[in-house]
Amino acid sequence: IEPIVPFRLNEDWNLITRTIIPIISQPSAGPGLASMSGLGDINPSIFLSPASSGHQFWGFGPTFTFPTGTAAPLTSGQWSLGPSAVYLATPGSWMIGVVANQQWSVGGWSDRSVNSTYIQPLVIYHLTKGWYLASVPVITANWEPDAGNRWTVPVGGGIGKIVKLGKLPLNLQLQAFYNVERPDASSNWQLRFQILFLFPK
């Protein structure tokens, strides 16, 4: 669950909040290990952005992670923070951008620590009748393990469509990615289906 909410501060600046609230269903990792589900760690980000930026948009600010996970395997056990930035351009039928942040732990369980990078490039090409092609992978780096187990780099994409539920616009999106770089214990493939509720002014 990822609400993105803009606030107008004045004629020159907007404040945009983006909060990731993970609800996790984790299957058994092996024989004798129980599956589990629950709330993961909540990650809010705050971006300060110019109010009038034309066909380009940028913002910067802090990001935080709170150890709200309801079970040990679902949480980092750390309070973390760091810088975050976003850039977006809309030339013609294209939408191109990136969201990135870096976080370090500042407190929490003594046997864990966080030093992680998050990069989400965005490339969308708009077709007709609400259809579009999209590639929005989530690239991550965990700097704690050895060098061969730090990066997860997915490559792929998919298709999306803007539809209406009554008067409410919905953005439906389906993408598939192959992890060209991944830690030893992670999967080769990702499949992502998203439903975005849009509330235009």
Side-chain angles (χ1 to χ4, degrees):
I1 300 175
E2 187 179 329
I4 300 174
V5 183
F7 299 94
R8 188 172 183 85
L9 297 179
N10 53 43
E11 293 184 356
D12 298 319
W13 295 96
N14 291 331
L15 192 69
I16 300 167
T17 65
R18 173 180 183 257
T19 304
I20 300 174
I21 307 168
I23 300 173
I24 302 168
S25 177
Q26 182 167 296
S28 170
L33 299 176
S35 61
M36 62 184 61
S37 60
L39 180 67
D41 292 347
I42 295 176
N43 170 217
S45 299
I46 301 171
F47 300 99
L48 185 66
S49 172
S52 56
S53 51
H55 293 288
Q56 297 187 73
F57 162 85
W58 59 268
F60 65 92
T63 187
F64 313 89
T65 295
F66 308 136
T68 52
T70 53
L74 306 181
T75 179
S76 66
Q78 297 291 305
W79 299 83
S80 306
L81 60 84
S84 186
V86 59
Y87 173 79
L88 186 66
T90 55
S93 297
W94 292 89
M95 182 180 294
I96 302 169
V98 64
V99 179
N101 68 54
Q102 167 68 36
Q103 292 193 70
W104 298 273
S105 54
V106 294
W109 299 352
S110 60
D111 60 338
R112 300 186 184 185
S113 63
V114 169
N115 180 3
S116 63
T117 300
Y118 172 101
I119 305 169
Q120 186 175 29
L122 177 149
V123 179
I124 291 175
Y125 182 75
H126 293 281
L127 303 171
T128 58
K129 298 182 179 179
W131 290 95
Y132 62 89
L133 302 175
S135 179
V136 192
V138 176
I139 302 169
T140 58
N142 178 3
W143 300 104
E144 295 296 323
D146 60 78
N149 286 283
R150 290 176 177 171
W151 285 93
T152 300
V153 182
V155 173
I159 194 164
K161 182 174 174 58
I162 307 292
V163 300
K164 281 195 174 182
L165 182 64
K167 294 184 178 181
L168 177 66
L170 299 180
N171 185 351
L172 307 179
Q173 190 178 110
L174 180 65
Q175 297 184 80
F177 300 94
Y178 177 74
N179 292 328
V180 296
E181 181 71 24
R182 63 185 180 87
D184 292 338
S186 65
S187 62
N188 291 315
W189 287 90
Q190 303 177 33
L191 182 65
R192 186 190 312 151
F193 176 64
Q194 293 182 324
I195 303 175
L196 293 84
F197 296 87
L198 308 175
F199 302 95
K201 290 185 178 180

